[in-house]
Amino acid sequence: MSMTRFVTPDGLPAFLAFLSQQGNRVLVPVEKPAAKRSIVFEPWREGMPFTLEKATVPAKEAVLPQSETLVRYKKSRDPENPSRISMQLDDKPEAEATVVFATRPCDARGYAILDRPYLKGPFADPYYKARREALTVISLTCNSGCNTCFCHWVGGGPTSPEGSDILMTEIEGGYVLQGITPKGEELLAASTLEDGADRFSKVEEVRKAAWASLVPAPNIKEAPEKLAAMFTDVEFWQDQTDRCLSCGACTYFCPTCYCFNITDEGEGLSEKGGRRLRSWDNCMSSLFTREASGHNPRTIKAFRMRNRVSHKYSTYPENWGSFSCSGCGRCISNCPVCLDIRAIVLAALEAKQPKAE
Amino acid sequence: MPVLEGKELRIVGFLCNWCSYGGADTAGVARATQPTDLRIIRVPCSGRIDPLFIVKALLNGADGVLVSGCHPRDCHYAAGNFYARRRLEVLKQFLPVLGIDDRRFEYTWVSASEGQRWQQVVTVFTDRIHKLGPAPSLEDPEPLLKIADMALTSLRPLGTGQASALGELKDAIKAKLPELDMVLGWGEGYDAAHTVPIFMKKPEDVDKLVWGPFNVNNLAVYLPSFKGKKVGIVVKGCDSRSVVELLQEKLIRREDVTIFAMPCEGTLDMARVNQGLGRYTKIDKVEYDEAGVTITADGKPTRFCMTDYAQGKCYGCTTPSAVLADTRLGVPAKVEAGPYTPPELALLDSMSLEERMAFWRGQMDRCLRCYACRNACPMCVCRDFCVSDSRDPHWMTQDDSVKEKLFFQTIHAMHLAGRCTGCGECQRACPVGIPILALRQQIGRAVGQLFDGYKSGINAEAVPPLLGYEVEEKNIHERDWK
């Protein structure tokens, strides 16, 4: 059996301090003061209050920051020959050793889903790679489902270990941490936490109960073919997206959305130089597909949502063999009009005969 | 003249080409001594100055911004400075809500021949900025971690509206439906505690219509996209003001829109309701009474009384009944008269300038720039051509800094000056709960004070104040430069 450790709730700050002393930036869920509860990941500091609840915003930042500098550049003019401009570049990936603490299994699976296009394709993205290698994921298994989440529809589950280095389970009196990867095992071995092996039977009970609490999942195996077949059924997509506002909340809060935009934020020939930024982009925005010519192949929100759903449930699975969705449900719970991606997938599956073009 | 106190600060001056730029030139030619802190940007007209130029300068480290144009009635383009005066005055009254001292921004008029006046203006303003010292940077303050609870007192009784005439409303819609392409209303979403916009096209769709405090969405947001179609819309009082504002701005046509109105008794703040419910797997049922709802989740009932769980905007609502309608149902609610500051704005009012800056630093930090606030706003009509996405000109960087996010919110608020009807959809749509409605409320208050109590979205014939001017403004006074 893999290595297990036990920690009481009171012992958590000391454990976080240990992680921090190992040279890690430790990201913990923190509840922000506002009229509306929102929980975001923030670097832990001694004495900082934190929560173990599911975060409003997943810790995608840890591997794919909302905005990151790819290249710093500085242009300079040769004083002897003013038409000659030379450029200095600094494009070294920066990665800080990071532990994401108490994320959920769905979000941990998010990292595994991002890994495929960023690392397993013909080219590995050096910036992503550096961050991913510097990352340790400690996820807290869910003891029950929630109204908007559906991890078990898409191949995950409340106790899924995929993407996690350490899996943490709440039992009576504390938390049992179970090493999943060698990285996680090493970290646990280095810690001073007490052994948790004798409590593992309790963990298994809790995990079983978590699965039992879920509403049974429909079979969506045929979604890739069905969605592909629905591609030209404009009416279907319009019906499904009539209330969509075409904002980007669903994509920006998604742990598996990985599209980005690149902009040069230049200062011309000034001393400051410039930066090439990579920042999140989203397929709900018109600019996402607007071509240099001015032509836009996705003119309406129905086509944009078609892209989003088809990417997650049809084209990504075709390329990588799994859904590009971890079922965290944030696209549903954060949507200003409660648009439900589950309903769209089910509607596509139920559609009898896709209309011919 | 030597630089004041030997320390130069950064002051940005936007000067109109035809008067003030010439005035500054005159001062220079006359060898009039001037402080050297000002960096002049020449613009064709003070009317060309979008308030966002000024905010961008202030958020990016300018210690002061001075705008100078032609004297009123002297504009090279006839009326540019009249429009500018209104805009700039609203901006001046807006800046403090961000935590920026409004004395750091000033506007005035200098003609091309007034070299001496220019010398005086620039000296007085520079002196003022030196007295204020370097501007605090938004990135500097420690975020405000504790926020006082908002006091929720209501101008009218709040309730669930269950005595309202939903059946009659459905009949009225069914009767009218054959003449319309569709009617916008609310239906049940993924569970009974989440209501969503529905588009009723067939009589059986009308049966899905629901009425109650879960009807949070402002459906007016969809109207401009149906331009040219015959569309019906069910409105609460606040939604009706958005419809009126869209009519005022000719974004929709009166003859195309059929308005069904029900008096509103308040909508629930779903963020706080969810907080009250905690983590749950399934909503079993929702039961209504006159004063509140009981939501049973995973077998556990929780009661939410409207008096405690309505959206902040509902407490001070003065238009629970539609301001414009074709079909009215139900009994209109009574509203107490009286001055009222919405809870979000009252919260900011109670803070010092420094605290406000620290507040926004802490709040905007978690903004993801998802633009749900923008897209849920019925008055945000640029949509696909928003200044925030524009790369040419490149107004906003793709950086995820607090500064950039607050800059966007400022643009959003300023573009809504005299147009925002306070429906609060921006704040409701924000997935991370940033109280951005307060910014719009401050704009609304400034517009009311400057333009004789003007309220947007009340009169479809009125012209929004920032789209017009008076040669002699009643409430905007020239400032003394002595």
Side-chain angles (χ1 to χ4, degrees):
Chain A
M1 196 183 66
S2 52
M3 174 170 302
T4 51
R5 290 281 184 270
F6 177 76
V7 60
T8 60
D10 295 341
L12 285 175
F15 181 58
L16 293 176
F18 157 76
L19 294 172
S20 187
Q21 281 149 18
Q22 299 289 102
N24 293 302
R25 170 178 67 138
V26 184
L27 298 177
V28 293
V30 178
E31 187 170 343
K32 305 306 286 183
K36 183 172 184 172
R37 160 174 291 199
S38 70
I39 298 168
V40 296
F41 280 89
E42 277 191 0
W44 181 79
R45 291 185 312 269
E46 194 75 49
M48 188 169 101
F50 60 93
T51 168
L52 296 180
E53 281 188 58
K54 183 174 165 182
T56 317
V57 188
K60 186 163 70 177
E61 285 272 327
V63 287
L64 199 62
Q66 196 183 336
S67 178
E68 70 175 312
T69 304
L70 298 183
V71 181
R72 283 174 205 285
Y73 60 84
K74 213 154 110 181
K75 289 181 194 165
S76 48
R77 211 185 278 281
D78 183 350
E80 300 294 309
N81 181 3
S83 62
R84 258 182 80 102
I85 291 173
S86 63
M87 199 181 219
Q88 288 158 279
L89 289 181
D90 171 16
D91 61 353
K92 251 204 248 108
E94 287 165 21
E96 200 179 344
T98 300
V99 175
V100 172
F101 179 74
T103 188
R104 298 287 173 152
C106 50
D107 296 341
R109 277 194 83 225
Y111 297 123
I113 291 167
L114 296 175
D115 282 350
R116 293 178 199 121
Y118 274 110
L119 300 177
K120 312 248 160 86
F123 303 102
D125 181 272
Y127 303 91
Y128 180 90
K129 191 167 178 233
R131 285 205 167 82
R132 186 68 174 100
E133 280 167 0
L135 179 73
T136 311
V137 182
I138 303 180
S139 50
L140 175 65
T141 60
C142 292
N143 286 357
S144 70
C146 74
N147 61 330
T148 46
C149 62
F150 55 105
C151 52
H152 58 309
W153 290 34
V154 288
T159 66
S160 163
E162 195 186 351
S164 302
D165 295 296
I166 294 172
L167 211 51
M168 185 168 144
T169 302
E170 185 182 0
I171 59 165
E172 226 185 298
Y175 303 88
V176 172
L177 292 101
Q178 177 196 5
I180 303 292
T181 62
K183 196 194 248 177
E185 302 236 316
E186 266 169 49
L187 198 60
L188 286 182
S191 79
T192 53
L193 298 180
E194 62 179 284
D195 192 66
D198 52 334
R199 289 181 169 93
F200 205 73
S201 59
K202 265 268 181 265
V203 169
E204 280 169 334
E205 261 173 54
V206 168
R207 291 187 184 174
K208 223 187 227 168
W211 276 92
S213 78
L214 303 177
V215 179
N219 181 357
I220 60 165
K221 266 202 197 109
E222 278 162 30
E225 299 79 42
K226 254 326 216 201
L227 282 165
M230 299 301 287
F231 189 82
T232 52
D233 192 341
V234 179
E235 209 177 301
F236 170 82
W237 290 105
Q238 276 178 329
D239 277 352
Q240 294 300 326
T241 56
D242 51 8
R243 67 176 189 264
C244 171
L245 296 171
S246 211
C247 68
C250 49
T251 64
Y252 279 14
F253 288 83
C254 175
T256 69
C257 271
Y258 54 77
C259 287
F260 58 79
N261 189 12
I262 290 183
T263 41
D264 283 350
E265 312 259 334
E267 305 278 341
L269 286 167
S270 83
E271 271 299 293
K272 274 186 178 167
R275 294 180 304 158
R276 174 161 293 179
L277 289 183
R278 169 157 79 183
S279 53
W280 293 354
D281 200 352
N282 87 81
C283 49
M284 295 300 113
S285 112
S286 156
L287 211 62
F288 187 75
T289 43
R290 195 189 298 159
E291 295 169 7
S293 66
H295 171 68
N296 196 337
R298 284 185 212 137
T299 42
I300 54 172
K301 61 191 178 185
F303 292 164
R304 296 177 202 158
M305 188 59 83
R306 175 181 69 188
N307 171 74
R308 180 176 142 78
V309 180
S310 302
H311 179 217
K312 296 203 167 299
Y313 287 88
S314 182
T315 49
Y316 183 101
E318 250 172 54
N319 292 328
W320 304 106
S322 86
F323 294 121
S324 172
C325 170
S326 65
C328 75
R330 288 196 186 83
C331 56
I332 307 166
S333 59
N334 289 323
C335 177
V337 294
C338 299
L339 205 70
D340 191 337
I341 195 167
R342 297 171 295 191
I344 302 179
V345 173
L346 290 182
L349 284 167
E350 276 161 25
K352 282 202 186 75
Q353 190 66 54
K355 271 185 203 154
E357 203 169 346
Chain B
M1 183 174 150
V3 173
L4 287 166
E5 289 165 20
K7 273 188 203 144
E8 194 153 317
L9 293 177
R10 273 173 296 190
I11 304 177
V12 180
F14 292 99
L15 270 54
C16 140
N17 175 59
W18 303 103
C19 291
S20 298
Y21 194 83
D25 217 15
T26 306
V29 169
R31 302 287 189 270
T33 50
Q34 299 170 42
T36 52
D37 308 44
L38 192 80
R39 303 284 177 274
I40 294 174
I41 296 173
R42 189 184 192 179
V43 291
C45 174
S46 53
R48 169 66 184 91
I49 298 167
D50 191 308
L52 73 87
F53 297 0
I54 297 148
V55 177
K56 186 159 175 108
L58 288 171
L59 287 177
N60 281 286
D63 301 304
V65 176
L66 177 67
V67 168
S68 186
C70 305
H71 287 274
R73 294 177 204 264
D74 258 0
C75 177
H76 183 83
Y77 305 101
N81 51 5
F82 287 138
Y83 289 104
R85 186 167 57 187
R86 286 197 163 186
R87 242 180 260 154
L88 298 174
E89 189 61 34
V90 171
L91 175 70
K92 197 162 164 64
Q93 301 210 7
F94 176 73
L95 289 175
V97 80
L98 301 176
I100 296 174
D101 194 323
D102 61 340
R103 288 171 296 178
R104 293 191 183 276
F105 162 61
E106 198 55 84
Y107 66 95
T108 189
W109 323 116
V110 173
S111 81
S113 60
E114 292 178 319
Q116 218 176 353
R117 179 175 158 89
W118 171 255
Q119 180 193 29
Q120 188 201 4
V121 162
V122 74
T123 309
V124 169
F125 187 68
T126 308
D127 196 33
R128 185 204 284 181
I129 299 302
H130 275 264
K131 279 192 185 126
L132 289 169
S137 150
L138 182 64
E139 278 93 344
D140 288 342
E142 192 62 24
L144 208 62
L145 287 179
K146 278 232 161 61
I147 295 169
D149 275 338
M150 293 188 276
L152 303 171
T153 50
S154 184
L155 286 178
R156 65 190 174 117
L158 294 168
T160 59
Q162 291 313 291
S164 283
L166 179 59
E168 287 167 44
L169 174 65
K170 285 182 182 169
D171 293 341
I173 295 172
K174 279 182 187 165
K176 187 79 183 166
L177 198 55
E179 299 163 36
L180 304 171
D181 289 304
M182 72 186 89
V183 178
L184 313 182
W186 301 268
E188 199 172 291
Y190 49 78
D191 59 41
H194 292 85
T195 297
V196 300
I198 57 166
F199 301 74
M200 296 171 272
K201 292 172 184 155
K202 301 183 292 280
E204 53 268 37
D205 297 338
V206 183
D207 296 325
K208 292 179 194 150
L209 187 69
V210 296
W211 184 260
F214 293 105
N215 292 6
V216 287
N217 312 77
N218 182 349
L219 306 172
V221 70
Y222 298 105
L223 286 180
S225 60
F226 294 123
K227 208 174 175 181
K229 286 194 170 159
K230 298 282 178 204
V231 179
I233 181 169
V234 188
V235 294
K236 311 185 287 287
C238 54
D239 309 339
S240 78
R241 287 180 60 185
S242 303
V243 177
V244 168
E245 189 62 38
L246 290 168
L247 288 168
Q248 270 179 270
E249 298 179 26
K250 302 194 169 44
L251 293 158
I252 52 173
R253 298 196 311 174
R254 184 67 185 95
E255 58 270 32
D256 291 343
V257 185
T258 308
I259 307 167
F260 301 90
M262 293 267 271
C264 173
E265 292 180 26
T267 49
L268 279 167
D269 184 338
M270 290 311 291
R272 280 188 294 138
V273 168
N274 277 325
Q275 195 161 342
L277 286 172
R279 194 181 166 95
Y280 61 88
T281 310
K282 213 169 114 272
I283 298 277
D284 305 318
K285 63 177 174 199
V286 176
E287 288 160 298
Y288 295 85
D289 54 56
E290 294 280 303
V293 292
T294 303
I295 302 175
T296 307
D298 295 341
K300 191 176 126 242
T302 316
R303 185 174 152 76
F304 298 94
C305 186
M306 287 301 290
T307 319
D308 305 319
Y309 283 92
Q311 292 197 66
K313 60 162 185 170
C314 299
Y315 292 91
C317 171
T318 51
T319 52
S321 303
V323 293
L324 180 71
D326 298 297
T327 308
R328 281 179 197 276
L329 298 128
V331 187
K334 278 205 183 97
V335 182
E336 280 173 53
Y340 186 86
T341 308
E344 290 91 347
L345 190 54
L347 178 72
L348 278 142
D349 281 350
S350 69
M351 298 179 189
S352 67
L353 279 179
E354 293 74 27
E355 283 171 334
R356 283 178 207 158
M357 192 169 266
F359 173 79
W360 290 118
R361 158 93 200 269
Q363 296 291 321
M364 296 313 298
D365 203 26
R366 63 181 184 278
C367 164
L368 293 186
R369 287 176 76 169
C370 72
Y371 298 128
C373 51
R374 175 190 73 188
N375 286 34
C377 172
M379 303 321 303
C380 261
V381 285
C382 306
R383 287 294 157 80
D384 294 350
F385 302 93
C386 176
V387 67
S388 66
D389 299 324
S390 160
R391 289 290 158 264
D392 187 21
H394 199 164
W395 273 110
M396 290 187 64
T397 84
Q398 283 304 101
D399 222 346
D400 65 343
S401 67
V402 189
K403 190 173 74 189
E404 218 56 24
K405 297 164 184 174
L406 191 60
F407 181 45
F408 170 74
Q409 287 305 333
T410 307
I411 296 173
H412 189 175
M414 284 306 299
H415 284 184
L416 292 170
R419 307 171 60 232
C420 171
T421 56
C423 74
E425 279 290 88
C426 48
Q427 180 167 308
R428 186 195 65 80
C430 177
V432 289
I434 306 174
I436 40 181
L437 180 56
L439 300 175
R440 283 85 178 154
Q441 287 167 339
Q442 173 57 28
I443 286 275
R445 180 162 67 181
V447 164
Q449 282 165 359
L450 288 171
F451 308 111
D452 288 333
Y454 181 86
K455 265 178 125 176
S456 43
I458 300 291
N459 174 5
E461 305 304 316
V463 177
L466 279 260
L467 298 185
Y469 63 87
E470 297 276 341
V471 173
E472 299 293 336
E473 294 286 0
K474 238 190 275 173
N475 303 317
I476 304 178
H477 304 293
E478 295 302 314
R479 285 181 190 81
D480 205 355
W481 285 92
K482 277 171 209 130

